[in-house]
Amino acid sequence: MEVKNFAVWDYVVFAALFIISSGIGVFYAIKERKKTTSREFLIGGRQMSFGPVALSLTASFMSAVTVLGTPADVYRFGASYVLFFITYALVIILTSELFLPVFYRSGITSTYEYLQLRFNKPVRYAATVIYVVQTILYTGVVVYAPALALNQVTGFDLWGSVIATGTVCTFYCTLGGLKAVVWTDAFQMVVMIVGFLTVLIQGSNHAGGLHSVLEQAENGSRLYIFDFDVDPLRRHTFWTISVGGTFTWLGIYGVNQSTIQRCISCKTEKHAKLALYFNLLGLWIILLCAVFSGLTMYSHFKDCDPWTSGIISAPDQLMPYFVMELFSTMPGLPGLFVACAFSGTLSTVAASINALATVTFEDFVKSCFPRLSDKLSTWISKGLCLLFGVICTSTAVAASLMGSVIQAALSIHGMCGGPMLGLFSLGILFPFVNWKGALAGLLTGILLSFWVAIGAFIYPAPASKTWPLPLSTDRCDLSNVTESVPPALSSRPAIAETWYAISYLHYSTVGCLGCIAAGVIISFLTGRQKGKDIPPLLIRPVCNLFCFWSKKYKTLCWCGVQHDSGTEQENLENGSTWKQGAESVLQNGLKQESLAHVPGYDLKDKNYDNMALEKITHF
């Protein structure tokens, strides 16, 4: 492939992204210099409003994986990826109505504090370790993706780009804390949308208009979206995306520290929910932009596929190559696209670093050294940001071996996020589950999801289940390219055609359901948890939705949890205040504080406010 170099204006646009992002970190480092608590640094003092948090959430999970991977996926496999429109809606509704209220009202900083309140410390620590591993691996993929794009379009050294990305993220995250991360994400979200729209406008004009793009996509079978085949081995169907995708993204959103940390930084629970729902609009916008970019790219390359012909060496190079072709006579716009890709990366990596620092500080450092001064706590938090910045950047080396960035990223989330989702579901939805069941369920889910994912990595799924749609090379000049020869397949065990061939979107489904099933069984075998020992705010009585006709069946489903003293709202207004210090936590009902008014609840507005909660839970 012939590398096309940046013009001066491309460098200017690209450099501006790094300068502004770093500048935001410096600004908040100066502005917040007198606020020296670790809580102010890690969760913004719990006084964020929903607008910037919503933009931050969208930018963080719509990373360079989306900018590069989704258009390439649509180009090769068709527009069925747009079905994630349904998945995102289901995930946001479940997160805001099921998981968020429990986390927000608990007054926690680390999501995994909930597991100690509900079960015990070993469960909390096991989940924290898994989260740290998951996030480091995922961040490595996210760092590698735009570095690959930059390498393809400018000829920059690939690993030099990786180091530059990690350095900038670590710089502004370490200086400015969560507020810098959130506001930088908001800026980078705007850059992402502008970059996508630029590609869409110029690409559709070049193809003869949007109608022409859709017509050519239809002719190339790219608009066949609703495939209702129930075969779980098929890569993308309606069911794998809507079911497997929901499990995968619920593990990302519903119980992920990076998401929940920004939600609990909001000043009220209402703001936190608004942040999630406005974030849903952002997710839809980015998804549609990415899907239409893939269709536009297909209309451009329909007669000469650069991947099949060997002009590029990997599908994830399609979008950068397309941009350099499209804007070859328009200096500055290639730089805008690369800035778009890097915006997704910077936002995701910074959020991950901040979340990793938070869980490490709250779950490990604070447990070992509960009497740290505010100043020392802040410096330790910044040191952890720096440490994880270095680790995440180094992990990008492993990402280069993982194939398609979009599949690699979602596979990682599925392998770890599914069992984690199952663990939190056991705690919130199943009052009778004890700590032994929770720990056994987590380990079972991890073993199942890693078994299927690693098996699929060693024995890729059969081509009949993952084969891309037809791609043409009829009008390519093949004189200067080399044809890639597919590797010969070695002998495959029978399990490789079934269990290992399951769609990567179902890794999370396998892990979550395996965790729940094992947790329920082990809890019954070892003695169920007594509901009277569990504060109502740690459980969501979702059985009210199904047993509304009978108080008897409600009581049975509550398993002894004292939700039956009145309506759910009355319970919220008369719940438990248990968190008085680092060690004032529930451990299987062995330690229980007296009943009191729920901190931060405003009877007039019927909403939760973090100010009152902060006064009680601060330590």
Side-chain angles (χ1 to χ4, degrees):
M1 171 184 171
E2 180 184 355
V3 175
K4 300 179 180 180
N5 294 320
F6 267 12
V8 174
W9 283 108
D10 295 316
Y11 287 107
V12 171
V13 172
F14 180 66
L17 171 71
F18 282 88
I19 293 171
I20 295 174
S21 298
S22 300
I24 293 173
V26 173
F27 171 78
Y28 276 101
I30 296 173
K31 181 182 178 183
E32 308 291 329
R33 65 187 182 279
K34 295 183 180 180
K35 299 177 181 179
T36 57
T37 66
S38 61
R39 186 157 297 207
E40 186 73 32
F41 180 80
L42 294 172
I43 55 174
R46 297 183 186 267
Q47 287 301 297
M48 302 295 293
S49 57
F50 70 87
V53 172
L55 290 173
S56 175
L57 285 170
T58 304
S60 293
F61 291 103
M62 295 290 102
S63 63
V65 171
T66 302
V67 177
L68 301 179
T70 302
D73 195 280
V74 172
Y75 172 85
R76 298 172 61 211
F77 296 98
S80 60
Y81 202 92
V82 79
L83 291 173
F84 276 98
F85 199 94
I86 300 171
T87 296
Y88 294 155
L90 293 174
V91 166
I92 295 303
I93 291 171
L94 289 171
T95 299
S96 61
E97 304 303 330
L98 180 61
F99 294 104
L100 175 63
V102 174
F103 295 136
Y104 194 95
R105 298 168 193 179
S106 301
I108 60 178
T109 300
S110 163
T111 311
Y112 307 101
E113 287 181 68
Y114 169 83
L115 297 175
Q116 185 172 346
L117 296 173
R118 175 64 176 85
F119 299 115
N120 61 9
K121 282 187 177 181
V123 177
R124 175 184 180 178
Y125 291 154
T128 302
V129 169
I130 292 170
Y131 169 76
V132 169
V133 173
Q134 168 196 0
T135 305
I136 289 174
L137 289 174
Y138 172 70
T139 307
V141 175
V142 173
V143 170
Y144 174 73
L148 175 65
L150 189 61
N151 174 258
Q152 291 299 314
V153 299
T154 68
F156 277 5
D157 181 75
L158 178 62
W159 301 113
S161 304
V162 168
I163 294 171
T165 305
T167 300
V168 172
C169 291
T170 306
F171 175 75
Y172 72 75
C173 182
T174 303
L175 281 182
L178 183 70
K179 287 185 178 179
V181 171
V182 168
W183 283 104
T184 308
D185 286 352
F187 160 70
Q188 290 160 357
M189 174 66 181
V190 175
V191 175
M192 288 176 68
I193 293 177
V194 171
F196 264 133
L197 290 178
T198 304
V199 172
L200 284 173
I201 292 171
Q202 178 64 13
S204 59
N205 286 340
H206 189 270
L210 183 59
H211 175 75
S212 177
V213 169
L214 293 176
E215 183 178 358
Q216 293 175 48
E218 174 70 26
N219 294 336
S221 303
R222 261 61 186 176
L223 296 186
Y224 179 54
I225 296 173
F226 294 98
D227 181 353
F228 291 101
D229 188 351
V230 296
D231 185 0
L233 308 186
R234 291 280 304 281
R235 185 175 184 273
H236 281 176
T237 66
F238 176 85
W239 300 112
T240 55
I241 293 177
S242 60
V243 177
T246 297
F247 274 96
T248 299
W249 278 92
L250 197 55
I252 297 172
Y253 260 79
V255 299
N256 188 287
Q257 171 68 23
S258 184
T259 302
I260 299 302
Q261 181 174 336
R262 275 169 286 181
C263 288
I264 63 177
S265 73
C266 291
K267 52 190 174 184
T268 66
E269 185 180 327
K270 185 179 295 183
H271 270 262
K273 287 187 175 182
L274 284 173
L276 282 169
Y277 283 114
F278 274 90
N279 155 65
L280 176 59
L281 295 177
L283 293 177
W284 283 344
I285 291 171
I286 294 294
L287 174 64
L288 291 176
C289 286
V291 169
F292 276 104
S293 293
L295 296 177
T296 304
M297 184 161 58
Y298 173 76
S299 70
H300 184 82
F301 290 131
K302 66 182 186 302
D303 296 321
C304 179
D305 171 41
W307 176 54
T308 307
S309 63
I311 297 174
I312 60 174
S313 58
D316 300 312
Q317 299 170 11
L318 280 165
M319 194 65 177
Y321 182 76
F322 172 56
V323 167
M324 292 307 293
E325 286 274 315
L326 195 62
F327 300 124
S328 58
T329 60
M330 305 173 71
L333 293 183
L336 179 62
F337 166 76
V338 176
C340 169
F342 268 87
S343 290
T345 291
L346 293 174
S347 61
T348 302
V349 175
S352 297
I353 291 172
N354 189 261
L356 287 167
T358 301
V359 298
T360 304
F361 180 79
E362 292 289 333
D363 295 352
F364 295 117
V365 176
K366 226 173 192 182
S367 296
C368 298
F369 307 99
R371 300 184 182 278
L372 291 173
S373 65
D374 286 338
K375 185 175 182 179
L376 184 57
S377 295
T378 304
W379 279 107
I380 291 175
S381 300
K382 291 186 176 184
L384 289 171
C385 284
L386 180 61
L387 173 64
F388 281 115
V390 173
I391 293 174
C392 290
T393 304
S394 304
T395 312
V397 177
S400 64
L401 307 174
M402 300 186 71
S404 168
V405 293
I406 191 76
Q407 184 164 332
L410 292 182
S411 296
I412 290 169
H413 276 307
M415 291 159 61
C416 300
M420 205 73 73
L421 174 63
L423 176 62
F424 280 97
S425 298
L426 285 172
I428 293 173
L429 302 179
F430 299 90
F432 58 83
V433 170
N434 59 28
W435 72 268
K436 296 175 183 177
L439 194 57
L442 177 62
L443 295 177
T444 301
I446 286 291
L447 288 174
L448 287 174
S449 58
F450 269 71
W451 177 22
V452 65
I454 293 174
F457 182 78
I458 298 173
Y459 299 103
S464 60
K465 305 296 183 182
T466 61
W467 197 254
L469 294 170
L471 296 166
S472 173
T473 58
D474 292 344
R475 298 187 182 180
C476 290
D477 179 11
L478 301 178
S479 58
N480 295 321
V481 297
T482 57
E483 184 176 355
S484 57
V485 179
L489 293 177
S490 58
S491 58
R492 295 163 61 89
I495 196 174
E497 307 300 322
T498 52
W499 178 242
Y500 295 158
I502 194 170
S503 170
Y504 72 96
L505 288 175
H506 279 310
Y507 297 166
S508 186
T509 310
V510 168
C512 180
L513 296 182
C515 174
I516 291 175
V520 169
I521 293 171
I522 298 299
S523 293
F524 274 106
L525 292 176
T526 58
R528 294 178 297 170
Q529 174 75 36
K530 294 181 180 179
K532 65 181 181 180
D533 295 331
I534 305 174
L537 290 181
L538 295 181
I539 305 292
R540 289 296 280 171
V542 292
C543 56
N544 285 6
L545 299 174
F546 307 103
C547 304
F548 58 86
W549 66 88
S550 171
K551 185 175 180 179
K552 174 184 176 181
Y553 288 115
K554 282 185 190 178
T555 304
L556 181 64
C557 290
W558 289 332
C559 302
V561 179
Q562 300 303 307
H563 279 296
D564 55 349
S565 59
T567 65
E568 183 182 1
Q569 187 60 56
E570 288 171 346
N571 279 296
L572 295 178
E573 295 171 8
N574 299 281
S576 300
T577 301
W578 62 81
K579 192 178 178 187
Q580 299 292 341
E583 297 302 321
S584 294
V585 293
L586 293 173
Q587 297 182 20
N588 294 317
L590 297 178
K591 193 170 185 178
Q592 196 168 12
E593 303 294 335
S594 60
L595 295 177
H597 179 76
V598 173
Y601 187 74
D602 189 322
L603 291 173
K604 182 178 179 181
D605 294 338
K606 294 184 178 180
N607 193 23
Y608 282 80
D609 188 332
N610 259 325
M611 286 299 290
L613 184 62
E614 182 74 14
K615 293 177 183 178
I616 293 178
T617 62
H618 178 70
F619 53 88

